[in-house]
């Protein structure tokens, strides 16, 4: 998936669902990564298929799946920060990170401050 073919409205439409927003909030409130079943229990969804669908939609843009479970990705943290108007960013455990700074997965900039990136192709190419 290249940035020039990604429609930013796809990422934004993933946020237009109460279950998905609840998933992001639970991940933001968690002290560590959450397993699928723990996250599903916290959100309160009984149907694991339905929950998996919503989580998968978020994993495309806002949530990272790790060996130990699920956590907010860079963009997910930004969305929660913006949506909750927090004075301080969502606390993150970077103890497993190679570097204490975080590289933006979209633009590659270290500690990028952009909430959303829009990549447009020039009309001539």
């Amino acid at each position: 998936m290249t940035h020039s073919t990604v429609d930013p409205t796809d990422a934004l439409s993933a946020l237009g669902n109460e279950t998905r927003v609840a998933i992001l909030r639970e991940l933001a409130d968690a002290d560590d990564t959450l397993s699928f079943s723990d996250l599903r229990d916290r959100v309160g969804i009984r149907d694991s298929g339905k929950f998996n669908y919503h989580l998968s939609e978020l994993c495309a843009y806002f949530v990272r799946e790790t060996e130990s479970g699920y956590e907010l990705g860079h963009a997910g943290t930004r969305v929660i920060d913006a949506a909750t108007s927090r004075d301080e960013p969502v606390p993150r455990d970077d103890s497993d990170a190679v570097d204490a700074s975080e590289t933006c997965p979209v633009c590659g900039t270290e500690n990028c401050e952009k909430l959303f990136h829009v990549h447009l192709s020039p009309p001539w190419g």
Side-chain angles (χ1 to χ4, degrees):
M1 175 161 57
T2 62
H3 298 303
S4 62
T5 61
V6 174
D7 184 350
T9 58
D10 290 341
L12 295 174
S13 69
L15 300 173
N17 179 282
E18 289 180 26
T19 299
R20 294 179 200 154
V21 172
I23 291 169
L24 293 178
R25 288 180 191 266
E26 289 300 329
L27 288 171
D29 290 341
D31 293 328
D32 203 359
T33 59
L34 295 173
S35 70
F36 179 88
S37 58
D38 287 341
L39 182 54
R40 184 172 56 89
D41 288 344
R42 284 182 176 214
V43 174
I45 303 294
R46 291 185 191 172
D47 183 339
S48 63
K50 178 180 176 181
F51 182 76
N52 185 55
Y53 168 75
H54 290 297
L55 182 58
S56 296
E57 291 292 305
L58 290 172
C59 283
Y61 307 101
F62 304 106
V63 173
R64 277 193 299 242
E65 182 178 7
T66 68
E67 289 182 15
S68 60
Y70 294 90
E71 64 186 11
L72 283 180
H74 180 79
T77 301
R78 296 264 189 230
V79 167
I80 290 298
D81 285 346
T84 58
S85 300
R86 296 179 187 231
D87 292 331
E88 307 228 354
V90 175
R92 300 206 37 184
D93 177 13
D94 289 330
S95 60
D96 294 333
V98 175
D99 188 350
S101 62
E102 185 170 355
T103 302
C104 177
V106 177
C107 69
T109 302
E110 194 171 297
N111 296 318
C112 175
E113 293 295 322
K114 293 182 181 175
L115 181 58
F116 294 104
H117 289 271
V118 178
H119 296 272
L120 303 174
S121 299
W124 56 87

